[in-house]
Amino acid sequence: AVAGEGAQVCGVDLDDKVSVATKNLLSTEVRTPFLPLPAESFSFMGGDAFEFLARWRRERGPQFDVMYSGCSMDPQTEQLRVFLGSVKREGAAVFNLGIPGDQAMFFVAEAGRVCEELMRVNFMMCESPLAPPILEKPVPLEPDQLCEWIRADVF
């Protein structure tokens, strides 16, 4: 699917990656159905994505229709709760969850009513001082248990 006219893209990455991502979205040399994007339709910020997500949620509530995370979230932290807490109830997200050697990519939509493991992956781990290890039970990695956790603890 390709976003419609007027769609806005907001990205957060490490400071040194922002210029690379911006250049890629403005590129006329890549053949895809959605590039280049008009410069006014996207914004990138450098820094800690979890810091931005927590602040935006406090200020505006869940606001994103669609979200994607390119790193793998640690089930021993609050990362997934912070990430999914920024998705609108009727929105969707694709994210990676697990520990090195045991990770999967998941699709979640409709406040957790749709929840599927897409594939096994091996991505770099997300890191953030704002998402320290949680004291309670870790986020489950089994798809059925994960979906139940998302419905009960996020939406």
Side-chain angles (χ1 to χ4, degrees):
V2 177
E5 188 86 19
Q8 292 290 310
V9 175
C10 175
V12 180
D13 206 337
L14 301 175
D15 288 320
D16 62 335
K17 305 292 187 263
V18 171
S19 63
V20 173
T22 301
K23 179 182 173 191
N24 288 340
L25 288 178
L26 294 172
S27 175
T28 57
E29 297 174 18
V30 179
R31 298 180 114 193
T32 69
F34 60 88
L35 290 179
L37 286 178
E40 63 277 2
S41 70
F42 68 89
S43 62
F44 280 116
M45 290 146 287
D48 183 340
F50 295 100
E51 179 181 332
F52 282 105
L53 291 172
R55 186 178 72 224
W56 292 333
R57 180 164 179 161
R58 279 191 312 273
E59 293 172 355
R60 305 175 231 177
Q63 63 179 8
F64 294 102
D65 296 310
V66 178
M67 290 185 68
Y68 169 76
S69 172
C71 57
S72 188
M73 288 179 248
D74 186 338
Q76 297 282 343
T77 70
E78 292 285 334
Q79 291 171 341
L80 185 58
R81 190 184 325 264
V82 171
F83 178 78
L84 290 177
S86 297
V87 179
K88 293 178 182 176
R89 289 188 63 77
E90 64 277 7
V94 173
F95 58 91
N96 308 304
L97 178 69
I99 58 174
D102 187 17
Q103 300 173 359
M105 179 180 288
F106 294 91
F107 169 74
V108 173
E110 300 176 16
R113 287 185 299 278
V114 175
C115 183
E116 301 173 13
E117 181 179 318
L118 301 176
M119 68 180 96
R120 303 301 293 176
V121 296
N122 192 22
F123 281 86
M124 68 177 195
M125 297 299 293
C126 300
E127 294 183 14
S128 172
L130 291 180
I134 54 178
L135 299 175
E136 61 196 62
K137 202 164 71 168
V139 175
L141 297 176
E142 292 301 317
D144 291 341
Q145 294 172 4
L146 173 62
C147 297
E148 187 177 311
W149 180 89
I150 289 170
R151 287 189 295 272
D153 290 8
V154 178
F155 293 104

